[in-house]
Amino acid sequence: MRRTWTTATVALSCAILCIAYPQPIDILQQQQQHTFTPAHHGHHNIHNNDNNINNNNEETIHTYARFDGEQVLRLDVSNLAQLKLLQATVEKENLDLWSNLRIGTVDLRVPASKMSSHSIKAITDTIPSTVMIPDLQDLIPTQSPALTLQQSSTPNQNWNFTDDSFWLQYHDFATLNNFTETMVQQYPDLVKRVSIGKTFEGREIFGMSIHGFKQKKDKKKKKKKTKGWFFDDDEDYERDDDEEQNSVDMDGSKMMAATSLEDGDTVSSWWSWLFNAAPRQSIRKPSRPKKHPKAIVIHAGQHAREWIGPAVVSYIAKELILGYRQNKKITRLLDQFEFIIVPILNADGYVYTWEHNRMWRKNRQPTSIPFCPGIDPNRNWGYLFGGDGSSANPCNEGYHGPEAFAAFESKMMSDFILDRKNVVAYIDFHSYSQLWMHPFGGDCSMIPKDDEDLLEAGMGAAKALHDVHGKKYTVGSICNVIYQASGGSIDWTYAVGQVKYSYGVELRDTGRYGFLLPEDEILPSSEETMAGVIYLANFIRLREKQWGFKY
Ligand SMILES: [Zn+2]
């Protein structure tokens, strides 16, 4: 049932929001250009942008939201009455739930000013609670990480996307864009840039299409010399350049790269220097495929503050790309599936967390309440929209928007999936709680007809993930694992987008740091999640033989 929005709530929300969310002048309204330059030059580029911002808006950039005295409470919800009390209070007071509402443990952020309020007291008197994070500000940088980057970084001559050092820290929007473009430039036969669309503030929702290219001449040549394992299959599924509607023109990209080089440099010499140890891919243009490949769509970043998602997803892309023709399982998967990997769906929100407010969740679209911008993209998808587990209140963190697909991000991604028509798996990465979930979330009386396969594949993925670093993930439908949540992505991708293997995954941790997961957990999180994704893709490959693949 839809929530209603009252005048009294507006007044209360203002009081809360003005404290919880300092609203600096939004410098992001000034459109920034995110033109690719190769990595070490790209750093200059990023800093130049920051310098411009700093010079023009010195006061603004320093206004990075603080959270002194705010606590994150862990509530042990044991029955439906407690859950309903919590849900009603969160809705009424516009509180920030850190983890999903469910019978079990639920984490709630409480501003210092609300700590002794009647409503919080009513919750803690009724529901057993402990303090998870005693002072949130202790875990948050005191100023914008974007500014810190500008002040402390010098161009790193060893900057290299081909080793794992890139995943020892979180990266901003521009750097992840540079990462993507570098992969496209370095592996042009294997990786194509895709553009899902543009956000409200005009940023490109960028991604990579990664698909293998078997070549008959190579195959014959190699077979005479060796019995290479990756040339054993009969079918070739080579990339169809002509049908890559969203790929950038490669000549254009090379020109962009060339503009940032020093005098006397050439594109090829620069790349040779940067990637002299990297495996080289053939530059011969692949021929037309015999079958259009099935696609696996993976993205993160619907929710801005969940920084581990874009980090893990970019790692998965790197592992696939560098594993091609190096790792048997990855090669076979890439020869049969097209992986479409989009690190940051809610680009505006992500940038906002880097420059203004580390705790921002929603996108940055205006709403009917001027001081409460932002739609929750993952409550805005067009299947079972507007039900329980989402809010009609623009000041609420789970605001579902005025109508389905009003959010740019959900609209663009759903259009992309419908256009592709060939998507067999979709994974939407979030954090935190360590959950591997499938539909449905919007109506808990509904069970997907593929429930058994979804559960089996999810369990296998979670086990593969667990085997890497011992982290336990809970597997099941959204309704079973957490509680009703309407307008989420995977309900739509499954029911409308016809994507059988639709999953929503909540990454590390289980609440010790929540969204502020330390950087030394990026790499282990990435490694284990990669194992889960590979398991899932392989499960689909083996299970779905009716697609006509030869195995
Ligand atoms: Zn999320």
Side-chain angles (χ1 to χ4, degrees):
M1 185 168 295
R2 286 200 188 190
R3 302 272 156 196
T4 52
W5 173 235
T6 65
T7 314
T9 318
V10 174
L12 191 58
S13 306
C14 180
I16 294 164
L17 266 289
C18 292
I19 296 163
Y21 296 109
Q23 300 290 316
I25 300 161
D26 198 343
I27 58 167
L28 300 179
Q29 298 295 347
Q30 303 167 3
Q31 297 293 305
Q32 292 179 37
Q33 297 297 315
H34 295 286
T35 309
F36 168 70
T37 52
H40 72 290
H41 294 276
H43 250 52
H44 286 303
N45 191 35
I46 294 163
H47 299 152
N48 286 341
N49 280 346
D50 285 345
N51 280 333
N52 291 339
I53 291 167
N54 202 28
N55 291 340
N56 297 335
N57 303 279
E58 196 164 342
E59 292 304 314
T60 307
I61 196 74
H62 284 279
T63 312
Y64 195 58
R66 294 185 61 90
F67 301 88
D68 299 280
E70 298 205 10
Q71 295 193 338
V72 177
L73 303 181
R74 169 150 294 185
L75 305 166
D76 193 2
V77 179
S78 58
N79 59 53
L80 200 58
Q82 291 179 349
L83 186 144
K84 290 289 181 190
L85 169 71
L86 179 58
Q87 186 178 33
T89 310
V90 165
E91 175 69 22
K92 185 177 159 218
E93 304 275 351
N94 295 315
L95 294 172
D96 180 14
L97 275 180
W98 267 34
S99 63
N100 293 292
L101 201 59
R102 62 175 171 179
I103 292 178
T105 57
V106 179
D107 299 341
L108 176 70
R109 173 161 72 95
V110 183
S113 60
K114 301 290 291 181
M115 206 63 76
S116 52
S117 70
H118 174 73
S119 53
I120 295 299
K121 219 171 162 317
I123 288 178
T124 51
D125 283 350
T126 312
I127 307 171
S129 65
T130 51
V131 177
M132 280 295 288
I133 299 177
D135 189 338
L136 187 54
Q137 186 58 41
D138 289 347
L139 299 179
I140 291 181
T142 53
Q143 61 182 5
S144 160
L147 187 65
T148 309
L149 185 72
Q150 180 224 332
Q151 287 179 332
S152 64
S153 297
T154 51
N156 183 351
Q157 295 304 314
N158 297 318
W159 192 255
N160 192 335
F161 292 135
T162 60
D163 68 23
D164 286 345
S165 61
F166 188 70
W167 288 273
L168 296 178
Q169 63 187 97
Y170 293 110
H171 295 291
D172 65 3
F173 177 83
T175 307
L176 286 173
N177 189 29
N178 281 350
F179 161 80
T180 296
E181 199 55 40
T182 300
M183 289 303 184
V184 171
Q185 295 275 338
Q186 181 63 13
Y187 302 93
D189 284 350
L190 187 62
V191 189
K192 305 291 181 194
R193 187 182 180 94
V194 292
S195 180
I196 306 300
K198 288 205 168 176
T199 63
F200 172 75
E201 291 178 346
R203 293 186 180 83
E204 185 195 1
I205 303 170
F206 60 84
M208 288 158 271
S209 156
I210 308 167
H211 180 48
F213 49 93
K214 290 183 184 175
Q215 296 168 5
K216 280 187 174 173
K217 282 183 182 173
D218 283 353
K219 179 177 168 181
K220 284 171 190 166
K221 216 183 286 173
K222 288 274 179 181
K223 271 197 167 175
K224 281 177 190 169
K225 290 179 182 173
T226 63
K227 288 195 172 180
W229 52 264
F230 44 73
F231 300 108
D232 289 347
D233 291 344
D234 293 332
E235 289 280 2
D236 285 348
Y237 296 97
E238 296 169 350
R239 178 175 224 101
D240 185 354
D241 283 343
D242 297 334
E243 291 183 11
E244 284 295 330
Q245 299 292 333
N246 293 300
S247 299
V248 293
D249 174 69
M250 291 312 300
D251 294 335
S253 300
K254 279 177 184 163
M255 280 176 66
M256 275 204 296
T259 57
S260 65
L261 297 171
E262 304 294 338
D263 287 346
D265 270 346
T266 64
V267 173
S268 59
S269 69
W270 190 88
W271 286 116
S272 301
W273 168 80
L274 182 61
F275 290 107
N276 57 358
R280 310 296 299 185
Q281 302 292 341
S282 163
I283 56 167
R284 191 164 64 79
K285 240 188 164 172
S287 59
R288 184 174 292 274
K290 289 178 180 169
K291 287 185 174 69
H292 200 285
K294 300 288 181 184
I296 294 175
V297 174
I298 294 173
H299 74 75
Q302 277 210 84
H303 291 142
R305 62 191 173 186
E306 299 165 6
W307 284 10
I308 187 62
V312 164
V313 163
S314 59
Y315 178 88
I316 290 169
K318 185 271 291 182
E319 281 290 289
L320 289 171
I321 294 163
L322 269 64
Y324 189 63
R325 298 204 167 182
Q326 304 292 322
N327 174 297
K328 182 174 182 176
K329 196 174 263 185
I330 287 174
T331 304
R332 195 163 51 196
L333 290 172
L334 280 175
D335 281 339
Q336 292 179 355
F337 294 114
E338 175 189 15
F339 283 78
I340 294 162
I341 297 191
V342 179
I344 310 167
L345 194 59
N346 173 10
D348 295 347
Y350 190 72
V351 170
Y352 197 77
T353 59
W354 276 79
E355 297 186 347
H356 295 280
N357 184 336
R358 179 65 184 84
M359 286 298 110
W360 193 259
R361 166 185 166 97
K362 300 187 282 183
N363 72 9
R364 294 293 303 162
Q365 280 176 248
T367 68
S368 57
I369 309 293
F371 52 82
C372 291
I375 298 170
D376 182 343
N378 204 33
R379 297 292 182 275
N380 184 247
W381 291 65
Y383 187 70
L384 302 173
F385 169 82
D388 219 1
S390 67
S391 174
N393 174 351
C395 295
N396 193 286
E397 293 290 351
Y399 175 49
H400 56 48
E403 59 189 348
F405 293 127
F408 280 43
E409 296 80 9
S410 52
K411 170 74 176 144
M412 302 288 175
M413 182 51 87
S414 60
D415 284 350
F416 180 83
I417 288 168
L418 287 180
D419 286 349
R420 283 285 165 143
K421 293 188 181 71
N422 62 342
V423 181
V424 294
Y426 169 87
I427 313 177
D428 176 10
F429 281 107
H430 292 255
S431 73
Y432 60 94
S433 290
Q434 297 177 194
L435 313 171
W436 196 290
M437 299 181 291
H438 62 260
F440 286 103
D443 182 343
C444 292
S445 68
M446 292 171 61
I447 295 172
K449 65 176 167 41
D450 301 302
D451 192 55
E452 235 173 76
D453 280 352
L454 282 162
L455 189 60
E456 186 181 348
M459 297 279 272
K463 185 184 180 307
L465 186 155
H466 173 267
D467 288 348
V468 179
H469 292 296
K471 291 295 176 189
K472 286 183 181 161
Y473 273 55
T474 305
V475 181
S477 72
I478 292 175
C479 280
N480 284 339
V481 171
I482 49 175
Y483 186 66
Q484 189 173 356
S486 304
S489 59
I490 65 172
D491 282 3
W492 184 92
T493 56
Y494 180 79
V496 182
Q498 303 286 303
V499 183
K500 175 176 172 179
Y501 294 94
S502 290
Y503 291 98
V505 177
E506 300 275 5
L507 295 166
R508 288 192 191 188
D509 57 7
T510 53
R512 171 67 186 85
Y513 295 100
F515 306 117
L516 302 164
L517 192 71
E519 291 182 318
D520 62 8
E521 293 203 41
I522 297 172
L523 197 51
S525 299
S526 300
E527 290 164 349
E528 66 197 13
T529 309
M530 178 67 188
V533 168
I534 291 299
Y535 177 90
L536 177 65
N538 211 40
F539 178 96
I540 297 169
R541 187 180 71 82
L542 296 171
R543 177 61 55 94
E544 305 295 333
K545 291 189 176 178
Q546 67 267 32
W547 291 334
F549 293 154
K550 288 189 177 179
Y551 298 98

